[in-house]
């Protein structure tokens, strides 16, 4: 059977694409204008209206709410601090980093709380994050990662030996795994669709099919008019490169997914995976997966990581070789799924800052705010962004506005062709390292360490 490719994502096709909201009807005034109708923009609008119900909040979206990464991701609501925790240790100290990690732990629960309170049924199950090692080099990285995480008081990580790991999720050849509780799997399109409906009921105006051509202090220019607002938030994540003056701000990194047909009960009896865990691995080019509410496996990885000139896709189509590679890896993980067909494949873009660490802030002199660069951890981090941006816009001094990622500035990416050459070289090196390690190399391949240095990761 032919695999459906693109069409935004499996998640949206399962629900049916939403009926389009009207475009901006013409120039207007607002208190806050948010550019981008994904999780960052919608969470910001939600917390603004909860805190100040009379605020005039406008969200502008080029296609429809949830068109981008928010409706295409792997459905991991995880507590990861994007980027290297050590950079915050050096700049802000240990207690600030512990506070940041606790805020991310709490954010996973906050997403769940709001979904329950607002009646958003998004197939949310908090089963933790399970990350498996299946080569000796991966096992060495796993143990080093465990030791590093266990040195912090709020990571709550556990190390599982091979037997305990396979009892939980029977990944073929697993040598061990880590598990930590602060992660929930969910259906991202259900969450973003539900959140958009909630903010509309709170009085937020969402205008779709409205392309923004320029963001400037006090004004956002579109094809249909100008929105004038003292506070303007850029919440465009992987599509930021399309904005005037932002071409090198964040690199749009491609990530691809496949989803199987529903697996029969006999296959699940062999695989296990009954606890709602998300699944990752310790490869250099890592994968991510979940067992869906209707008993499929949604399985993702990098594919072709970057398009020359920071070009982004329009409909989520991915390459045939990426579909083949992800399918082969899925069946290597789970031989019991080898006879199950692949139903759908798709891709999306995520925002990557030059130092691979998310940023958020508000320039009080211009009223321009931003949040993003989540490098794939945005399902939870966008919620923290929304709460923090709301506090910043409302001039509140809170524990969130004092977190170490607030107000960080990051240098821009190199111009082309250096940007394209660099990304291709980095991922070629990581893939070569994985091949060496699968061949039996017991430690991380040196070429992967070189790639880490080049990337600044």
């Amino acid at each position: 059977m032919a695999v459906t490719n693109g069409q935004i994502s499996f998640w949206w096709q399962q629900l049916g694409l939403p009926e389009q909201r009207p475009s901006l009807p013409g120039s207007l005034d607002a208190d806050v204008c948010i550019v981008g109708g994904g999780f960052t923009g919608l969470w910001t609008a939600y917390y603004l209206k909860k805190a100040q119900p009379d605020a005039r909040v406008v969200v502008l979206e080029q296609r429809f709410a949830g068109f981008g990464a928010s409706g295409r991701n792997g459905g991991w609501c995880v507590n990861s601090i994007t980027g290297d925790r050590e950079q915050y240790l050096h700049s802000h100290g240990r207690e600030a980093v512990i506070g940041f990690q606790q805020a991310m732990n709490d954010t996973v629960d906050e997403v769940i709380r709001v979904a329950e309170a607002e009646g958003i049924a998004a197939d949310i199950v908090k089963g933790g994050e399970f990350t498996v090692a299946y080569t000796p080099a991966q096992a060495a990285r796993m143990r080093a990662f465990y030791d590093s995480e266990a040195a912090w008081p709020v990571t709550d990580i556990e190390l599982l030996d091979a037997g305990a790991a396979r009892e939980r999720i029977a990944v073929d050849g697993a040598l061990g795994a880590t598990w930590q509780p602060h992660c929930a799997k969910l259906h991202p399109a259900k969450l973003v669709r539900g959140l958009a409906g909630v903010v509309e009921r709170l009085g937020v105006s969402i205008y779709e099919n409205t392309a923004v051509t320029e963001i400037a202090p006090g004004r956002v220019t579109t094809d249909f008019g100008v929105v004038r607002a003292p506070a303007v938030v850029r919440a465009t994540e992987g599509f930021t490169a399309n904005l005037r003056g932002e071409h090198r701000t964040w690199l749009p990194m491609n990530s691809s997914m496949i989803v199987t047909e529903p697996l029969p009960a006999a296959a699940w009896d062999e695989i296990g995976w009954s606890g709602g865990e998300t699944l990752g691995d310790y490869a250099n080019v890592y994968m991510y997966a979940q067992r869906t509410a209707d008993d499929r496996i949604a399985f993702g990885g990098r594919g072709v990581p970057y398009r020359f000139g920071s070009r982004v896709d329009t409909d989520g189509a991915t390459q045939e070789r990426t579909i083949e590679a992800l399918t082969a890896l899925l069946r290597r993980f789970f031989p019991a799924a080898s006879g199950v067909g692949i139903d759908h494949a798709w891709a999306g873009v995520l925002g990557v800052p030059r130092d691979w660490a998310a940023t958020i802030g508000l320039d009080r002199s211009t009223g321009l705010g931003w949040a993003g660069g989540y490098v794939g951890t945005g399902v939870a981090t966008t919620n923290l962004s929304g709460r923090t941006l709301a506090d910043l816009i409302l001039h509140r001094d809170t524990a969130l506005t004092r977190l170490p990622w607030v107000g960080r500035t990051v240098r821009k990416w190199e111009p082309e062709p250096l940007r394209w050459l660099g990304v291709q070289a980095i991922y070629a090196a990581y893939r070569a390292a994985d091949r060496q390690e699968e061949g039996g190399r017991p430690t991380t391949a040196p070429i992967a360490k070189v790639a880490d240095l080049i990337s600044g990761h």
Side-chain angles (χ1 to χ4, degrees):
M1 189 174 72
V3 176
T4 301
N5 190 354
Q7 299 184 26
I8 313 305
S9 71
F10 163 77
W11 308 117
W12 274 119
Q13 291 302 317
Q14 191 176 47
L15 296 185
L17 294 180
E19 184 178 341
Q20 303 287 288
R21 294 175 174 88
S23 302
L24 182 70
S27 295
L28 53 80
D29 295 324
D31 296 312
V32 182
C33 180
I34 299 168
V35 180
F39 281 138
T40 298
L42 294 174
W43 282 124
T44 303
Y46 177 80
Y47 289 105
L48 279 169
K49 290 295 283 187
K50 284 291 189 178
Q52 191 169 316
D54 62 345
R56 298 170 299 167
V57 180
V58 169
V59 175
L60 303 177
E61 166 57 44
Q62 183 170 351
R63 290 289 295 277
F64 60 84
F67 168 79
S70 299
R72 307 190 201 182
N73 62 77
W76 284 39
C77 184
V78 67
N79 70 334
S80 300
I81 294 176
T82 306
D84 183 6
R85 186 187 282 134
E86 296 299 313
Q87 69 175 314
Y88 297 116
L89 178 63
H90 294 149
S91 62
H92 289 77
R94 183 175 173 82
E95 290 307 310
V97 177
I98 292 171
F100 195 0
Q101 186 62 72
Q102 186 62 60
M104 283 303 309
N105 294 358
D106 295 343
T107 294
V108 176
D109 294 327
E110 173 67 4
V111 172
I112 297 169
R113 183 196 69 80
V114 173
E116 291 176 349
E118 300 292 354
I120 302 172
D123 302 336
I124 302 176
V125 179
K126 189 181 180 186
E129 179 186 20
F130 182 95
T131 309
V132 68
Y134 52 89
T135 69
Q138 288 186 28
R141 282 196 296 276
M142 174 186 70
R143 289 188 291 270
F145 178 76
Y146 170 78
D147 290 342
S148 175
E149 291 293 287
W152 293 89
V154 292
T155 53
D156 305 314
I157 194 168
E158 298 178 13
L159 182 65
L160 307 176
D161 64 18
R166 287 195 293 270
E167 254 181 54
R168 198 155 192 167
I169 304 177
V171 175
D172 190 53
L175 302 177
T178 56
W179 178 83
Q180 62 90 8
H182 306 290
C183 184
K185 68 164 187 170
L186 52 78
H187 190 301
K190 288 184 178 180
L191 180 60
V192 73
R193 180 185 65 175
L195 185 58
V198 168
V199 301
E200 274 193 313
R201 291 192 292 274
L202 291 173
V204 174
S205 298
I206 302 175
Y207 298 112
E208 297 181 334
N209 290 305
T210 300
V212 169
T213 55
E214 185 175 16
I215 296 174
R219 59 190 288 120
V220 177
T221 303
T222 81
D223 294 338
F224 299 100
V226 174
V227 178
R228 296 172 293 270
V232 174
V233 174
R234 189 188 77 228
T236 46
E237 189 55 359
F239 292 86
T240 299
N242 289 344
L243 293 170
R244 186 177 303 171
E246 305 291 348
H247 192 63
R248 291 165 52 201
T249 299
W250 291 331
L251 184 141
M253 183 76 74
N254 299 294
S255 198
S256 297
M257 295 197 73
I258 57 174
V259 67
T260 66
E261 298 171 342
L263 272 64
W268 286 120
D269 287 343
E270 185 174 333
I271 293 169
W273 202 356
S274 59
E277 305 93 340
T278 61
L279 171 65
D281 71 359
Y282 281 97
N284 294 293
V285 182
Y286 54 84
M287 50 69 64
Y288 52 94
Q290 67 154 288
R291 176 179 177 176
T292 68
D294 59 346
D295 289 333
R296 304 167 186 264
I297 298 176
F299 196 98
R302 276 293 176 263
V304 176
Y306 175 71
R307 294 180 173 91
F308 187 87
S310 290
R311 289 182 292 115
V312 296
D313 72 281
T314 55
D315 66 353
T318 193
Q319 303 81 13
E320 288 297 327
R321 66 182 184 275
T322 298
I323 298 171
E324 292 168 2
L326 290 175
T327 301
L329 186 58
L330 184 151
R331 291 173 176 167
R332 179 252 175 268
F333 268 47
F334 302 118
S338 294
V340 178
I342 305 301
D343 197 356
H344 199 128
W346 69 98
V349 292
L350 47 98
V352 181
R354 187 60 183 86
D355 66 354
W356 298 71
T359 65
I360 181 173
L362 176 71
D363 185 337
R364 296 207 183 281
S365 66
T366 63
L368 296 177
W370 72 92
Y374 305 117
V375 198
T377 64
V379 177
T381 313
T382 50
N383 176 276
L384 184 61
S385 292
R387 286 183 283 145
T388 306
L389 280 168
D391 284 347
L392 290 169
I393 291 166
L394 297 174
H395 302 281
R396 295 175 169 178
D397 180 13
T398 67
L400 298 184
T401 63
R402 294 191 295 272
L403 289 174
W405 70 324
V406 176
R408 289 182 60 252
T409 56
V410 182
R411 69 184 176 93
K412 291 183 179 294
W413 282 87
E414 291 78 4
E416 296 290 22
L418 296 177
R419 190 161 65 246
W420 185 86
L421 290 170
V423 175
Q424 302 306 312
I426 288 165
Y427 276 91
Y430 284 142
R431 289 190 175 94
D434 281 333
R435 287 193 296 271
Q436 291 179 29
E437 293 171 10
E438 287 163 9
R441 183 184 176 86
T443 58
T444 297
I447 194 170
K449 297 178 180 179
V450 172
D452 285 345
L453 290 173
I454 295 172
S455 69
H457 190 188

